[in-house]
Amino acid sequence: PFEVQEEWFWRIIESASETDFGKKHSFSQITSYEDFKTFVPLNDYNTLKPYIDRMISGEQKVLWNSDVKWFAKSSGTTSDKSKFIPVSVESLGDCHYKGGKDLLSIYYNNYADANLYGGKHLIVGGSSTPRSIGEDSYFGDLSAIIVKNLPFWVEQKRTPSKEIALMDNWEEKVLEIAKNTIHEDVSLVSGVPSWTLVIFNKILELTGKKNIHEVWPNLECFMHGGVKFEPYKDAFQKLLPGRMNYIESYNASEGYFGIQDQVHISDLLLMLDYGIFYEFIPMSSFDGLNSKHVVSLENVEIGVNYALVISTNGGLWRYIIGDTIQFTETSPFRFIITGRTAQFINAFGEELIVANTDMAIAEACKISNAQIRDYSAAPAYMNENASGGRHEWLVEFE
């Protein structure tokens, strides 16, 4: 793992040494990881936005050395309503598509009787048709960009048509996906759990069937990501009462990071050869862009909550992605996603993270036989009417 990370470290540094960012931060003079930390500051979307805006307007060799024409639109937690993450040809091929290939390979390795290619693959993506954002620049949901540029070996088995998969209007899209797939032999579904449930329910509404296996008897796998699966697990098991395999992956607009590589353990394997160099900030000393304690893979510890920092073959440099993870193993490196750097409660020294609240919600649902759609939690501080601090929960039930 360390040699692979070092190889990618030098490859991306060398590739970007003649970019504007590389020149400004003396990439050609970097001789060690310590130099990299000295010359290149930590970044977030706001600090890289001026460079990205130039790329959107058509400038090249700004953050990355190859022409970047695609930008993945993701929800913004910055002052902007949306973020536009650069997607290079290299990040598509060496990261996102490689992640998909590895996911399928690992699945076949784990399930000797797998027959995913005996049927069609339903990939549930976002509702943003790629559209022009500049003279020669285009944006869309990452899933839309991926579908738009899919290699032929994926396109042969995918359903429904690209025209339907890339529709903008979500309500119309759900209906069209349902109408155009109910007569197909679907063996694999991939997507965000919440979006997928909406489509499953629409299919049952149209067909009058009791469960999804009555529609697709050969459906054997749901590959999911984007949100925690645990709160949705009961709903899926009711809709899919037959034999079903669930595989999680951790991919975002910024890159493809992890794959569940074991059948009965949901921890994710950190994918180290996807054109990404990883760094980690212990959340106990996290101070945003001013964080001083940043470590590479060699120095991570099991059980410590880390903010994830990435440098990529898409032109993101020491980029604090906003997610937090915790390693459960270091040989190989497996981890769980624990939440967001901006989504934790520490009003009373409790250091409550999303992984804790997800587990609490899942346990409460199990005990009360409830199904939820979403929830929010916040601290309620001590005042004259309350002798102690507490948390207030708002739960949206199915």
Side-chain angles (χ1 to χ4, degrees), residues 13 30 48 68 116 118 126 132 135-136 143 146 223 271 274 277 289 293 303 323-324 328 334 355 368:
I13 291 289
I30 292 174
L48 289 184
V68 177
L116 294 182
S132 177
E135 190 173 327
D136 198 21
S143 54
I146 287 175
M223 293 180 173
M271 308 311 288
Y274 286 7
F277 178 71
L289 300 181
H293 187 198
D323 291 345
T324 59
T328 55
R334 291 197 180 96
S368 59

Side-chain angles (χ1 to χ4, degrees), residues 97-300:
Y97 292 145
K98 189 173 184 180
K101 285 188 280 188
D102 282 353
L103 186 63
L104 290 166
S105 301
I106 287 169
Y107 181 82
Y108 268 84
N109 186 63
N110 286 338
Y111 299 97
D113 59 346
N115 188 29
L116 294 182
Y117 282 87
K120 290 295 185 74
H121 300 173
L122 170 59
I123 302 172
V124 180
S127 339
S128 179
T129 305
R131 51 170 57 87
S132 177
I133 194 176
E135 190 173 327
D136 198 21
S137 303
Y138 308 90
F139 79 91
D141 290 351
L142 176 70
S143 54
I145 293 173
I146 287 175
V147 167
K148 184 77 174 175
N149 295 280
L150 278 175
F152 76 94
W153 57 269
V154 180
E155 194 60 41
Q156 283 179 328
K157 285 291 180 180
R158 193 186 55 74
T159 188
S161 67
K162 270 188 183 178
E163 289 72 26
I164 294 172
L166 296 174
M167 285 176 68
D168 267 337
N169 186 301
W170 174 247
E171 298 295 334
E172 290 179 14
K173 178 176 171 173
V174 168
L175 179 60
E176 289 302 315
I177 288 176
K179 283 165 49 179
N180 284 271
T181 59
I182 54 178
H183 302 298
E184 297 280 6
D185 180 17
V186 174
S187 57
L188 165 68
V189 176
S190 174
V192 176
S194 49
W195 298 352
T196 306
L197 279 178
V198 172
I199 290 171
F200 280 180
N201 284 316
K202 179 59 72 173
I203 286 171
L204 296 183
E205 180 188 317
L206 291 178
T207 61
K209 302 292 186 182
K210 293 180 181 178
N211 63 66
I212 294 298
H213 275 134
E214 290 184 4
V215 182
W216 298 325
N218 295 315
L219 178 61
E220 64 174 90
C221 179
F222 176 47
M223 293 180 173
H224 59 88
V227 298
K228 197 75 173 171
F229 186 59
E230 200 62 34
Y232 299 96
K233 193 171 182 179
D234 285 349
F236 271 88
Q237 288 178 338
K238 286 176 182 175
L239 292 177
L240 296 161
R243 183 203 160 194
M244 194 69 190
N245 302 316
Y246 297 93
I247 307 294
E248 184 176 5
S249 65
Y250 174 25
N251 60 319
S253 301
E254 295 86 352
Y256 205 121
F257 309 124
I259 293 174
Q260 180 187 344
D261 67 319
Q262 298 173 300
V263 175
H264 300 298
I265 299 175
S266 60
D267 300 359
L268 303 171
L269 182 70
L270 186 64
M271 308 311 288
L272 299 171
D273 59 342
Y274 286 7
I276 300 170
F277 178 71
Y278 292 98
E279 296 176 89
F280 309 90
I281 306 172
M283 283 303 291
S284 58
S285 60
F286 183 76
D287 187 23
L289 300 181
N290 299 313
S291 300
K292 304 300 182 196
H293 187 198
V294 187
V295 299
S296 59
L297 191 67
E298 291 94 327
N299 296 307
V300 299

Side-chain angles (χ1 to χ4, degrees), residues 344-351 379-382 390-391:
F344 64 97
I345 306 176
N346 195 27
F348 317 104
E350 67 272 44
E351 295 188 359
Y381 291 95
M382 291 171 273
R390 65 193 192 282
H391 294 158

Side-chain angles (χ1 to χ4, degrees), residues 313-353:
N313 57 1
L316 300 177
W317 297 104
R318 304 200 76 203
Y319 184 86
I320 301 174
I321 191 174
D323 291 345
T324 59
I325 68 170
Q326 190 177 103
F327 285 99
T328 55
E329 290 183 61
T330 55
S331 182
F333 286 92
R334 291 197 180 96
F335 67 95
I336 56 173
I337 304 166
T338 53
R340 300 279 295 170
T341 55
Q343 286 183 329
F344 64 97
I345 306 176
N346 195 27
F348 317 104
E350 67 272 44
E351 295 188 359
L352 184 70
I353 58 177

Side-chain angles (χ1 to χ4, degrees), residues 373-385:
R373 278 175 168 264
D374 216 333
Y375 72 90
S376 185
Y381 291 95
M382 291 171 273
N383 55 36
E384 65 274 10
N385 299 317

